[in-house]
């Protein structure tokens, strides 16, 4: 059934004319929207955050150096008694007797407290990871996440371009509707003047005057509503561009016909959503590999350049360095690592299913969008034929009414039919352009400059 629908759509496109009277959106407005839109600015901040996270992940491979110092004052606490006097005084006494002198005085026992008093310890500490697979996987994951943020920005940019185009077409449609109602106003006002002149000459009924005045009031109301639609469309368009809602919008004159492709290809492989899911699968693979690397020992090196002593003295005895390595090998973790591995495996399966489902949804959306474009174009062609018939019919009835051949009711019916045909053609005209903008979005075919 799906292939049959594709074939029928292709045949329908091949059999229809290939020209659509188009109005292009000025590139300046699209560029303003891509630069100034608030949501897009917010997403760019998220990208900047991802870039900073990547820089942080890369910096973990570099040595870490910092200054660390402390100074302590202490009194009391545990102490150790050292019997220096008891050990040396007998020796000193014997030496004094042998030398018949007092060169060796008696000394007292010493009691040294454990807590250092008036003691400083200043170190310049440096650590460096030697073996740590987590750092390598973390850097790769951050790189993928940065690209993921970029894809999210690109996806919103495409959506914003479509919204800007559709909003611009809505503004053009509303503006043209105002012109149509203004032309209708001239017709009904002229009709009112004709009926008033005929009544003054005794050739018309008062009811015709009342009906003509009612027609004028009705068109005035429609014209006012159309003017409000222009203001609303202008406000929304400026909102997308992050500009004051009442800013003037340049409406370009209609350009040459747009050549519509003979066969629209609904290829969705370029959609950022699919690229994001591919990246998500890659990130999950990295997470799984990181979880499986838990058996690899973590090895770090460290170096301390330091000085410590009492009374802030710095000399050869206070200066020292301390270097070494630290190793960490997991022995038992309660199977937490195995659970993480199973979780990443299930997450990978879920991402695969999500990718397949998203791809089918995008293909469906592209097919529907293409069919809508074809349907809108065919409706536009039909509305053009209806407009031509209404214009011809109105000219005949208007001439006949002025000559007294056609009735007033026929004139009103012809005028209403003409206005409705003009409005319908206007609507279908911009429906085609909006449908093409949507198809451009669904197939990610807009080329960013």
């Amino acid at each position: 059934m799906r292939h049959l629908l594709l074939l029928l759509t292709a045949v329908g496109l091949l059999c229809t004319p290939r020209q659509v009277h188009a109005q292009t959106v000025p590139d300046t407005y699209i560029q303003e929207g891509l630069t100034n839109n608030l949501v897009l600015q917010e997403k760019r901040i998220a990208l900047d955050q991802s870039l900073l996270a990547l820089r942080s992940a890369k910096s973990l491979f570099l040595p870490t150096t910092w200054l660390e110092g402390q100074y302590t004052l202490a009194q009391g606490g545990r102490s150790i008694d050292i019997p220096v006097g008891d050990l040396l005084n007998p020796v000193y006494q014997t030496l004094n007797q042998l030398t018949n002198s007092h060169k060796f005085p008696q000394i007292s026992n010493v009691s040294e407290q454990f807590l250092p008093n008036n003691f400083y310890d200043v170190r310049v500490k440096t650590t460096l990871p030697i073996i740590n697979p987590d750092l390598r996987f973390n850097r790769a994951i951050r790189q993928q996440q940065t690209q993921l943020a970029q894809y999210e920005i690109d996806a919103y940019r495409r959506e914003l371009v479509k919204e800007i185009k559709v909003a611009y077409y809505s503004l053009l449609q509303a503006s043209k509707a105002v012109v149509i109602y203004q032309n209708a106003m001239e017709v009904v006002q002229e009709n009112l003047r004709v009926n008033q002149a005929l009544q003054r000459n005794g050739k018309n009924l008062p009811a015709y005057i009342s009906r003509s005045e009612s027609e004028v009031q009705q068109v005035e109301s429609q014209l006012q509503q159309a003017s409000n639609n222009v203001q609303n469309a202008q406000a929304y368009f400026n909102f997308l561009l992050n500009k004051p809602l009442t800013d003037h919008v340049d409406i370009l004159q209609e350009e040459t016909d747009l050549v519509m492709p003979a066969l629209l290809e609904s290829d969705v492989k370029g959609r950022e959503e699919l690229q994001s899911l591919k990246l998500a699968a890659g990130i999950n693979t990295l997470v799984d590999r990181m979880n499986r690397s838990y058996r690899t020992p973590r090895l770090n090196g460290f170096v301390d350049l330091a000085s410590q002593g009492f009374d802030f003295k710095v000399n050869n005895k206070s200066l020292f360095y301390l270097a070494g390595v630290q190793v960490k090998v997991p022995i038992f973790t309660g199977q937490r690592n195995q659970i993480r591995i199973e979780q990443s495996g299930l997450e990978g399966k879920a991402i695969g299913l999500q990718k397949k489902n998203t791809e089918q949804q995008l293909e469906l959306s592209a097919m529907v969008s293409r069919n809508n474009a074809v349907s809108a174009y065919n409706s536009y062609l039909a509305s053009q034929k209806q407009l031509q018939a209404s214009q011809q019919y109105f000219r005949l009835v208007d001439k006949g009414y002025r000559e007294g051949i056609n009735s007033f009711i026929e004139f009103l019916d012809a005028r209403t039919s003409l206005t409705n045909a003009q409005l319908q053609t206007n609507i279908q005209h911009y429906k085609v352009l909006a449908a093409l903008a949507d198809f451009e979005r669904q197939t990610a075919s807009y080329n960013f400059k």
Side-chain angles (χ1 to χ4, degrees):
M1 178 62 69
R2 177 182 174 186
H3 290 86
L4 179 60
L5 289 174
L6 288 172
L7 180 60
L8 291 175
T9 303
V11 172
L13 279 168
L14 289 170
C15 295
T16 56
R18 296 170 53 188
Q19 299 290 331
V20 178
H21 200 54
Q23 180 78 44
T24 58
V25 180
D27 289 336
T28 54
Y29 285 140
I30 294 179
Q31 294 305 319
E32 280 186 36
L34 295 177
T35 302
N36 302 329
N37 185 265
L38 293 178
V39 177
L40 198 55
Q41 291 180 22
E42 181 182 352
K43 292 184 179 296
R44 288 196 180 102
I45 292 176
L47 175 60
D48 292 339
Q49 291 174 336
S50 297
L51 291 173
L52 291 176
L54 176 59
R55 290 176 57 187
S56 177
K58 291 180 178 179
S59 69
L60 296 177
F61 288 89
L62 301 176
T64 301
T65 302
W66 69 95
L67 176 66
E68 183 179 284
Q70 64 177 356
Y71 174 76
T72 58
L73 294 172
Q75 185 67 38
R78 295 183 302 162
S79 62
I80 182 172
D81 294 327
I82 303 176
V84 181
D86 294 340
L87 293 174
L88 296 181
N89 285 336
V91 178
Y92 286 173
Q93 185 176 2
T94 302
L95 291 174
N96 287 332
Q97 292 175 355
L98 292 175
T99 59
N100 195 21
S101 67
H102 297 284
K103 294 182 179 180
F104 301 96
Q106 299 293 299
I107 61 176
S108 302
N109 291 331
V110 176
S111 179
E112 194 72 28
Q113 68 179 26
F114 284 103
L115 299 176
N117 182 39
N118 192 22
F119 180 79
Y120 78 92
D121 185 352
V122 178
R123 300 170 183 250
V124 177
K125 303 176 70 71
T126 301
T127 61
L128 175 67
I130 300 174
I131 300 176
N132 192 339
D134 290 347
L135 300 182
R136 177 167 51 87
F137 287 118
N138 182 57
R139 179 183 59 184
I141 289 172
R142 292 298 184 183
Q143 288 176 337
Q144 301 279 13
Q145 289 177 338
T146 300
Q147 185 62 46
L148 198 64
Q150 182 62 57
Y151 279 141
E152 184 178 354
I153 289 178
D154 291 341
Y156 184 79
R157 289 174 71 198
R158 293 193 184 280
E159 185 67 23
L160 180 60
V161 168
K162 186 204 81 172
E163 290 296 325
I164 291 175
K165 287 188 174 184
V166 173
Y168 189 74
Y169 296 147
S170 297
L171 178 58
L172 294 179
Q173 176 185 328
S175 300
K176 195 167 183 180
V178 169
V179 175
I180 292 173
Y181 283 120
Q182 287 175 344
N183 294 335
M185 176 62 71
E186 293 179 1
V187 173
V188 295
Q189 287 178 343
E190 177 63 23
N191 176 256
L192 177 60
R193 287 193 294 270
V194 170
N195 286 330
Q196 289 174 343
L198 291 175
Q199 187 182 28
R200 285 194 297 269
N201 295 328
K203 298 180 180 180
N204 206 350
L205 297 176
Y208 287 1
I209 301 297
S210 300
R211 182 60 186 272
S212 298
E213 292 174 346
S214 176
E215 286 288 311
V216 171
Q217 293 175 354
Q218 180 182 1
V219 175
E220 283 180 349
S221 176
Q222 293 170 336
L223 179 59
Q224 181 61 44
Q225 181 63 43
S227 300
N228 293 338
N229 291 339
V230 170
Q231 294 178 3
N232 294 337
Q234 176 179 319
Y236 180 65
F237 184 77
N238 285 323
F239 165 76
L240 293 176
L241 272 58
N242 190 26
K243 297 170 65 177
L245 301 183
T246 56
D247 269 16
H248 175 72
V249 179
D250 292 330
I251 299 177
L252 302 182
Q253 298 297 323
E254 293 183 350
E255 300 177 353
T256 57
D257 292 344
L258 172 67
V259 177
M260 189 173 182
L263 180 61
L264 299 176
E265 295 291 342
S266 56
D267 186 6
V268 298
K269 293 181 180 179
R271 288 289 295 263
E272 286 77 13
E273 292 83 350
L274 295 179
Q275 303 300 325
S276 297
L277 288 174
K278 289 181 181 179
L279 274 180
I283 291 174
N284 183 74
T285 300
L286 291 173
V287 172
D288 182 71
R289 291 174 58 189
M290 183 173 62
N291 292 336
R292 293 179 184 276
S293 69
Y294 74 94
R295 298 184 183 89
T296 303
R298 271 59 173 173
L299 182 64
N300 298 319
F302 69 90
V303 175
D304 288 359
L305 302 178
S307 176
Q308 58 181 209
F310 295 93
D311 297 326
F312 294 101
K313 293 180 180 180
V314 180
N315 49 45
N316 293 335
K317 293 183 179 179
S318 66
L319 297 174
F320 70 96
Y321 75 89
L322 179 67
V325 294
Q326 298 173 329
V327 64
K328 180 179 179 181
V329 181
I331 298 177
F332 178 75
T333 59
Q335 295 187 339
R336 288 190 295 272
N337 295 307
Q338 292 295 332
I339 293 174
R340 293 192 188 100
I341 293 173
E342 293 180 7
Q343 288 176 335
S344 59
L346 293 175
E347 183 68 20
K349 292 180 181 179
I351 292 175
L353 294 174
Q354 183 181 2
K355 180 178 178 296
K356 185 176 181 180
N357 182 56
T358 301
E359 187 172 3
Q360 291 178 348
Q361 288 180 340
L362 293 179
E363 288 178 352
L364 175 62
S365 298
M367 176 190 247
V368 171
S369 178
R370 179 182 58 184
N371 293 338
N372 289 341
V374 175
S375 177
Y377 179 59
N378 291 331
S379 297
Y380 170 71
L381 294 179
S383 66
Q384 279 189 321
K385 294 180 180 179
Q386 181 66 33
L387 176 60
Q388 293 173 0
S390 297
Q391 289 173 336
Q392 184 177 4
Y393 178 68
F394 177 76
R395 285 194 295 267
L396 293 175
V397 173
D398 182 52
K399 182 178 179 182
Y401 176 68
R402 293 175 182 274
E403 296 176 354
I405 300 174
N406 294 100
S407 66
F408 180 61
I409 300 300
E410 290 176 322
F411 171 81
L412 294 178
D413 178 68
R415 199 281 305 170
T416 302
S417 298
L418 176 60
T419 301
N420 291 338
Q422 290 173 332
L423 292 173
Q424 187 63 24
T425 302
N426 179 46
I427 292 172
Q428 294 301 328
H429 172 74
Y430 291 107
K431 269 190 176 182
V432 174
L433 299 180
L436 290 175
D438 181 71
F439 182 78
E440 180 184 64
R441 168 67 184 99
Q442 297 300 331
T443 55
S445 56
Y446 181 81
N447 184 22
F448 291 104
K449 297 180 180 179

